[in-house]
Amino acid sequence: MNKGKIATLAAGIGGLVLAGLAVTACTGPSGTSAQQQENKQQQADTSSLINDQPIPHFNYSQIRQTLIDAETISADGTQTTSFFFQMGDQDPVFTCPSLGMPVANTAQLSNPDQNYNSGYPQGGTSYPVPQMDPNGIYSPASSSGTYVICVNSGGKPYLQYWEGDVMTVTSAATWDSTTHTIKVIGAPTADIHTSKNK
């Protein structure tokens, strides 16, 4: 190979090396530095938001207490009044003094699922069993009917089943056929807790 070709080849290789260094300069340390700077800015933004607007801490939660009260009413059989509605009718088809909350007819006293463990390999895969609510039943995903314990004029309880909507009030109540609404006529029969009286 003559000296001219060697010089041309060397110049070509030198050009490629310089081009490579230029690309490296754009995407290497300077690119990484820009990414690091962006990450730091994002971390600073996140820190500011967490410090200036922290996740709230509550010593009392009304939404939690409402669920506790609702389960207590259903478990204790608190005196209530229930109204039975049928789709398309403006007024209830039935009303009664009742005990506790309406119960979906698909609620269960026992869980049909079991904790299954395949046993392979080394203990296998375990599937958890849902836990029942504190009031002793497993809540249904859906319902086609409702049970209500009504109380007759002699004070005797009886079971009423209905496949429509049921509204239950923790108080003595009547239906106002003029306004087509429930009218509460008695004092509350359950202790409802709020942050003021907890």
Side-chain angles (χ1 to χ4, degrees):
M1 185 177 291
N2 62 33
K3 291 182 180 180
K5 287 185 179 180
I6 292 174
T8 303
L9 182 59
I13 292 172
L16 288 174
V17 170
L18 287 176
L21 289 174
V23 170
T24 301
C26 292
T27 60
S30 63
T32 301
S33 177
Q35 184 63 51
Q36 288 174 344
Q37 184 177 359
E38 183 178 342
N39 290 346
K40 286 180 181 179
Q41 289 173 348
Q42 184 63 51
Q43 289 172 1
D45 288 344
T46 302
S47 295
S48 294
L49 290 173
I50 290 173
N51 290 330
D52 296 341
Q53 295 176 301
I55 295 172
H57 168 76
F58 302 105
N59 292 320
Y60 179 85
S61 170
Q62 184 60 54
I63 190 171
R64 182 179 178 88
Q65 187 60 51
T66 298
L67 185 55
I68 291 171
D69 288 341
E71 290 205 345
T72 300
I73 290 166
S74 65
D76 287 351
T78 302
Q79 182 181 341
T80 55
T81 307
S82 294
F83 299 84
F84 299 73
F85 296 91
Q86 182 168 284
M87 188 177 293
D89 287 348
Q90 200 169 18
D91 298 323
V93 298
F94 183 75
T95 184
C96 70
S98 51
L99 299 175
M101 291 288 107
V103 180
N105 71 327
T106 51
Q108 301 167 258
L109 287 175
S110 61
N111 192 341
D113 299 327
Q114 294 183 10
N115 191 22
Y116 174 77
N117 190 309
S118 66
Y120 177 84
Q122 301 295 327
T125 303
S126 181
Y127 300 93
V129 175
Q131 298 297 306
M132 68 180 176
D133 286 338
N135 59 7
I137 65 171
Y138 296 88
S139 299
S142 61
S143 173
S144 60
T146 306
Y147 298 119
V148 175
I149 301 296
C150 291
V151 181
N152 67 15
S153 58
K156 297 290 186 181
Y158 64 96
L159 181 70
Q160 177 72 30
Y161 173 77
W162 182 243
E163 291 193 355
D165 294 328
V166 177
M167 180 179 287
T168 297
V169 183
T170 55
S171 174
T174 60
W175 181 258
D176 188 329
S177 57
T178 303
T179 60
H180 305 287
T181 58
I182 291 172
K183 183 178 180 181
V184 175
I185 59 173
T189 57
D191 292 329
I192 304 300
H193 301 84
T194 65
S195 58
K196 294 181 180 179
N197 67 3
K198 65 179 188 291

